[in-house]
Amino acid sequence: MPKRLPLSCENCRRRKIRCLGSCVPCDTCRKRGVASSCRFKRDVEHNLQPAQSEAIALQETLLRRISDLESLLVKNIEFTSMSTTQHSRSIRSPGLQNNTPLTEDELSANPASINTDGSFFTRNITTSQRDEVGSIFTSQSGYVRYVPYSTSRDPDVFNSLQNQSQMEFPPRAFFCCDTPPSKQALLDMLPPFRHCDELITTFLNVFSPLFHILHDGTFRSNYTKFKQDPRNAPVSFIGLIFVTLGLAVTAIDKESPILSDLGREASPAESARSLAAKYRQATMKCLAADNFMWQHNLQTLQCLILLIYAINHAQGPAWALLGTTLNIAIAIGCHIDPGLLSLNPIEVQERRRAWAGLTMLYTIQNTCLGNLAPFNVENNVQLPADVEDEEIVADSLPTALNGIQHSSRRIHPTKMSYILFKFRLYSLASGVCAMSAGKSECSPAKIQALDQEIELELQAQAERFSDQLDLPAYHQAHSLILSNYTNHLVLLLHRICLLKPEGFEDGSVTGSYEKCEQAALAILSNYETLNLRNEFSPYKWYIYGLGSFHAFLAISTLLVLFGKARTTQNSKHLILQAMQNCFQRLHENAPFSEICQRACSILDSLTPGEPYQPTPSLVFSDGVCNLESTAGFGSNEPPTMDTTTSSDSFDPSFWALPESFEEIVTNIPCEQWLSPAVFPWAGFGYNIP
C-alpha cells in the first residue's frame, strides 16, 4: 500500500499550524512572508525534475571535494608547523667565510652553516636522501607541481594531488574583467621576426650574461621551434620572448631601424622606453592568459623573474609581484635542490639559476624597503655552477656541477660569474644597511670587519677580471659595474664616520675619509670609462640609471669631503677634476635620463654663477678613454692627475655648499642610497623634476 502524503506544506507541518490552500505558495505562507520557501512533499517526491536531480548530485560532489580539501589543508598545516619549528641554520650565499667553498665531502661531514645579517633566505646544508624530498608532477600540458615528502607518503593525499595536477584550468581573466587575449592575439603583438631576431641576439649578448638565469642553448632551441610553429608554442614561452624583447630594446643603438620602425615617440629614447613598457605589459598578458596563478612551470618562473628584473631597471614597483613569484617557485619545488629530484643536468642548473636570481631580487628589494619580510625562507639549494652553458650537457655531468665550484679555480670569468659576485654583494649590502639602521652593533670594529669583506670582494674581482683587454666587451663592462657597486657599498659603510659619531677615534675617522675618497674616485673613473668607450654603448641603460645614481653618491660624498681640512691640495685638485668631469657627463646624459636630470638639478644649485662648466676629458684623439690616466680598468686605485689640463681651471669656489648639505647626505637612510626608485630626491630641498 503506497505511503500517504501529507496535504499541508512543509512549513506549516513543521510549525503545526493550519495550511490554507493546495497550491504553491499556500495562503498561510504568503501571509507569513515565507512564500519563497513553501514546498509540498508530494511535489518534491513525485515531480522532481531531472535538472534538480543533477543539481543535487553536483552539490553532493562539491561538498565531498570540499571535505577532502579541508582534510588536505589540515595535513599541510601540520607539516608546515613541524617544518617551521625546526632549528634554522643559515649559510651565506654564494660565498662562504674566508671566500672558501665547501666541498661535497665537507658538506656531508659538517652540516653546520654560517649566518649572514639581514638575509631573508636561509640555506640548510644537510645530507638528504633522494626519496625524502618529495615528488614533482608534470601535467600533459607541461605544468609542474611539487609535493613534499611527508604529504606524498599519505596515499589519499598523494592520489588527490596527483589527480589535481592533471587538471587543466580554462582561461579566465585574473587581472581584468575582460576575457584574456587569445594566443593569436598575443602573437599579433610581436614585432616582425627580423626585429625579434635582432633583439633576442642583443638580449643574449648584453642582458643574459648580466642576469644569467636562462640556459642560452635551450632558449635558442625553443625560439627556433617557435619560429617554425608559433601557434603551437606554449603561452609561457611567448611571454618569455616578450620580456626578453622588453629588456633588449633598452640596449639597442638610438640609430637602430627597430626604433624608427616600431616606435611612435618623438625621440629614440622615448620610443625605447615606450616599447619596453609595451613588451612588459604583453608579458603580463601572456602570464594571465596562461593562468599563471593556478598553473605554472619553469618557463613561467623564468618569465616572472626576468619581468621583475626589467621592472626594477625601469624604476617600477615589483614587491608584490616578487611575493607571488616566490610562492610559485616554491610551488614547483625550486626551494629544493634539483640535484635530489632526478632531473637532467640542464634543468638542474636552470632551477638553481632561477632560485639564485629570485633570491637576489628579493634580498635587495627587501633591504631597500627596510627589511619588510618578517620571516625566512628555508632551502637547501646549491648555487649554480660557475661554468659556461656549453659545458652543461644532458648526457654527462662535469665534475664542476656536482658541488659549489670556487671561482678562483677558473682563469677567466664565465657568464655565471657576474651573478655569483652580485649575490655576495647583495648579502653584504643587507649587512651594511642593518648596521647603519641600528639593527646590529655599529662600532669601528664592526665597520672594519665589513670593510675587510668588501675588500676581499674587490680583490676577487681584480683577480677574476684580470687581463681586461683580452676579455669580451661584456666581461669588461661587468668588471666596471661590479667595481662601481662594490665601491658604492664602501661609501655607504664609511659614510657613518663623516659626521664623527661618538666613540670613534680620530684614526678611525681619518681612515674612513680616505676610504670614501678612494671609493668615490674609483666610481667616477669607471663612470667616465663607461661613458666614453664606444663598445659600452649597449650599456647606456645602466649609465642612464644605476650608474649615474652611483656617480651622484660619489660626487656628493666628495663634496662633503672637499670641506674637510685634512684633504691635501693635490687631492683637492684631483677631486675637483673628477667631479667636474662627472658633472659634464651627467649634463650630457640628462636629456635621456630622469636620474641625471634630478642629479643635475641638485648639483646646479651648488655651483655659483654659470652652472655646467665642462672641463677637458681624459680622452685620446679617437674618443677612447685613456685607461692609464684613469687608474686601472675597473680597479680600485685612485686615478692620476691629467697633466694636460691646466691647474688654473680648478677653481675651489666653483662649488658652494650650504651648511645643511653634509647633514642631508649623511642622514639619508642607507637603504635609500641603494636604489634611485626609493631615494628621497625631494629631501635635498631643491627643485627636483
Side-chain angles (χ1 to χ4, degrees):
M1 182 177 179
K3 183 179 178 181
R4 182 180 177 183
L5 297 175
L7 298 177
S8 300
C9 73
E10 294 301 297
N11 287 344
C12 293
R13 290 183 65 235
R14 281 195 297 268
R15 296 184 62 86
K16 297 182 179 180
I17 60 177
R18 184 180 181 185
C19 183
L20 301 176
S22 58
C23 59
V24 179
C26 70
D27 294 341
T28 304
C29 288
R30 187 165 54 249
K31 291 177 181 179
R32 292 179 54 238
V34 291
S36 60
S37 62
C38 181
R39 297 288 186 275
F40 286 87
K41 194 171 184 179
R42 60 178 181 270
D43 295 335
V44 174
E45 293 194 3
H46 292 285
N47 300 322
L48 194 62
Q49 298 297 324
Q52 291 177 305
S53 301
E54 294 177 3
I56 293 175
L58 177 60
Q59 184 180 20
E60 293 176 351
T61 302
L62 290 175
L63 290 174
R64 188 166 52 252
R65 292 182 62 187
I66 290 173
S67 178
D68 293 341
L69 289 174
E70 286 177 346
S71 301
L72 175 61
L73 180 60
V74 170
K75 293 181 180 180
N76 279 334
I77 290 175
E78 292 175 354
F79 170 74
T80 304
S81 300
M82 293 173 59
S83 300
T84 55
T85 56
Q86 294 177 353
H87 178 65
S88 173
R89 302 187 202 141
S90 60
I91 185 171
R92 175 182 156 198
S93 300
L96 304 177
Q97 280 187 340
N98 301 324
N99 235 16
T100 304
L102 296 178
T103 64
E104 284 190 308
D105 295 337
E106 291 171 332
L107 290 175
S108 301
N110 182 18
S113 51
I114 303 161
N115 294 324
T116 302
D117 291 338
S119 177
F120 175 79
F121 289 81
T122 302
R123 289 186 62 208
N124 288 332
I125 300 299
T126 57
T127 55
S128 300
Q129 297 298 323
R130 193 173 297 269
D131 59 349
E132 295 183 357
V133 296
S135 305
I136 288 182
F137 297 120
T138 303
S139 71
Q140 295 179 353
S141 298
Y143 299 110
V144 174
R145 183 167 190 170
Y146 170 75
V147 180
Y149 170 66
S150 61
T151 303
S152 62
R153 287 191 299 173
D154 188 312
D156 295 333
V157 176
F158 183 86
N159 292 332
S160 175
L161 289 175
Q162 189 175 29
N163 292 334
Q164 291 181 36
S165 68
Q166 301 301 325
M167 294 174 58
E168 301 297 335
F169 293 86
R172 66 186 76 180
F174 187 80
F175 294 99
C176 57
C177 299
D178 300 331
T179 303
S182 63
K183 181 182 289 188
Q184 187 58 51
L186 295 171
L187 293 173
D188 291 341
M189 297 172 64
L190 285 169
F193 276 144
R194 68 179 186 279
H195 292 329
C196 284
D197 293 345
E198 182 177 346
L199 288 173
I200 286 178
T201 300
T202 300
F203 169 81
L204 293 174
N205 292 337
V206 178
F207 285 100
S208 182
L210 271 173
F211 197 60
H212 198 50
I213 68 168
L214 300 181
H215 183 268
D216 287 352
T218 301
F219 180 75
R220 286 195 185 96
S221 175
N222 290 335
Y223 178 65
T224 301
K225 295 177 182 176
F226 165 79
K227 290 174 62 177
Q228 294 171 353
D229 188 8
R231 290 182 177 84
N232 286 326
V235 179
S236 57
F237 185 74
I238 299 175
L240 198 56
I241 292 177
F242 272 118
V243 73
T244 57
L245 299 183
L247 283 166
V249 76
T250 64
I252 59 177
D253 188 83
K254 62 182 180 181
E255 303 297 332
S256 171
I258 293 180
L259 295 179
S260 58
D261 291 349
L262 304 178
R264 297 292 183 269
E265 306 302 327
S267 67
E270 292 176 353
S271 292
R273 286 193 292 268
S274 176
L275 288 172
K278 173 184 174 181
Y279 294 143
R280 290 196 299 270
Q281 292 173 0
T283 303
M284 206 68 226
K285 290 181 179 179
C286 289
L287 290 169
D290 199 36
N291 293 319
F292 79 105
M293 296 294 289
W294 289 273
Q295 52 194 22
H296 14 257
N297 53 26
L298 185 57
Q299 282 184 348
T300 308
L301 181 62
Q302 292 170 335
C303 188
L304 282 166
I305 293 173
L306 285 174
L307 178 60
I308 294 168
Y309 180 75
I311 292 173
N312 286 348
H313 275 292
Q315 313 304 324
W319 178 249
L321 191 59
L322 263 172
T324 301
T325 305
L326 173 62
N327 287 327
I328 289 176
I330 294 173
I332 66 174
C334 279
H335 64 301
I336 300 297
D337 187 74
L340 305 173
L341 297 174
S342 300
L343 303 173
N344 70 71
I346 293 178
E347 186 173 353
V348 166
Q349 292 305 312
E350 284 186 312
R351 280 176 165 260
R352 287 175 179 167
R353 291 177 182 183
W355 185 255
L358 178 59
T359 304
M360 287 177 56
L361 294 173
Y362 215 117
T363 298
I364 197 62
Q365 280 280 308
N366 189 45
T367 303
C368 289
L369 295 175
N371 291 310
L372 287 178
F375 56 88
N376 289 336
V377 176
E378 295 187 7
N379 68 93
N380 65 344
V381 183
Q382 293 186 21
L383 290 164
D386 193 1
V387 297
E388 298 289 4
D389 287 351
E390 294 77 10
E391 300 177 61
I392 309 172
V393 293
D395 297 333
S396 61
L397 188 63
T399 304
L401 304 184
N402 290 329
I404 304 175
Q405 186 194 28
H406 194 210
S407 60
S408 63
R409 297 175 187 172
R410 304 183 69 94
I411 299 176
H412 296 299
T414 69
K415 288 186 176 181
M416 279 303 306
S417 299
Y418 177 88
I419 194 173
L420 293 175
F421 272 114
K422 207 66 177 287
F423 207 128
R424 288 197 295 267
L425 293 178
Y426 280 179
S427 179
L428 283 173
S430 181
V432 170
C433 290
M435 185 190 67
S436 177
K439 296 180 180 179
S440 62
E441 178 189 3
C442 180
S443 64
K446 182 69 173 180
I447 292 177
Q448 184 179 5
L450 283 171
D451 181 76
Q452 289 176 351
E453 290 191 67
I454 297 175
E455 185 63 32
L456 287 175
E457 290 301 319
L458 286 169
Q459 293 175 7
Q461 293 167 22
E463 292 174 3
R464 198 70 192 278
F465 291 93
S466 59
D467 300 328
Q468 287 280 346
L469 299 180
D470 294 333
L471 296 176
Y474 63 82
H475 277 321
Q476 298 179 33
H478 294 176
S479 176
L480 294 170
I481 295 172
L482 284 172
S483 174
N484 269 13
Y485 193 89
T486 311
N487 282 291
H488 189 75
L489 294 184
V490 174
L491 295 181
L492 296 182
L493 176 64
H494 291 279
R495 186 181 63 118
I496 302 170
C497 298
L498 291 181
L499 292 178
K500 193 178 179 180
E502 295 182 6
F504 285 71
E505 299 179 355
D506 290 344
S508 299
V509 174
T510 301
S512 290
Y513 286 171
E514 294 173 354
K515 287 281 187 178
C516 286
E517 179 181 321
Q518 183 180 10
L521 288 174
I523 290 175
L524 297 187
S525 173
N526 293 337
Y527 185 67
E528 184 82 353
T529 303
L530 286 166
N531 273 280
L532 294 180
R533 291 190 58 179
N534 293 330
E535 58 264 43
F536 296 144
S537 59
Y539 298 88
K540 288 294 184 181
W541 53 269
Y542 168 80
I543 297 171
Y544 297 155
L546 199 58
S548 293
F549 183 67
H550 288 167
F552 174 67
L553 174 60
I555 200 171
S556 298
T557 304
L558 289 175
L559 285 172
V560 174
L561 290 175
F562 191 71
K564 305 295 182 181
R566 302 177 189 182
T567 306
T568 65
Q569 190 64 27
N570 288 335
S571 295
K572 286 184 178 180
H573 280 255
L574 183 60
I575 290 172
L576 280 170
Q577 176 181 339
M579 288 193 301
Q580 291 183 2
N581 285 340
C582 177
F583 195 33
Q584 178 177 347
R585 302 296 164 231
L586 290 173
H587 270 279
E588 291 172 352
N589 295 332
F592 316 106
S593 167
E594 184 178 357
I595 294 173
C596 291
Q597 292 175 17
R598 294 177 173 182
C600 289
S601 297
I602 295 172
L603 297 176
D604 283 344
S605 63
L606 305 178
T607 55
E610 287 289 332
Y612 182 36
Q613 302 287 337
T615 58
S617 303
L618 305 174
V619 295
F620 289 122
S621 58
D622 61 356
V624 178
C625 182
N626 186 342
L627 299 183
E628 295 181 355
S629 64
T630 54
F633 192 43
S635 73
N636 203 42
E637 295 297 325
T640 57
M641 187 75 173
D642 184 6
T643 57
T644 62
T645 307
S646 172
S647 60
D648 295 337
S649 64
F650 301 106
D651 182 8
S653 64
F654 181 75
W655 303 93
L657 296 183
E659 296 180 0
S660 61
F661 186 81
E662 178 177 343
E663 185 175 353
I664 292 174
V665 171
T666 53
N667 286 346
I668 292 177
C670 184
E671 60 270 13
Q672 294 183 358
W673 277 109
L674 287 176
S675 171
V678 297
F679 185 76
W681 296 98
F684 281 84
Y686 306 117
N687 184 23
I688 306 299

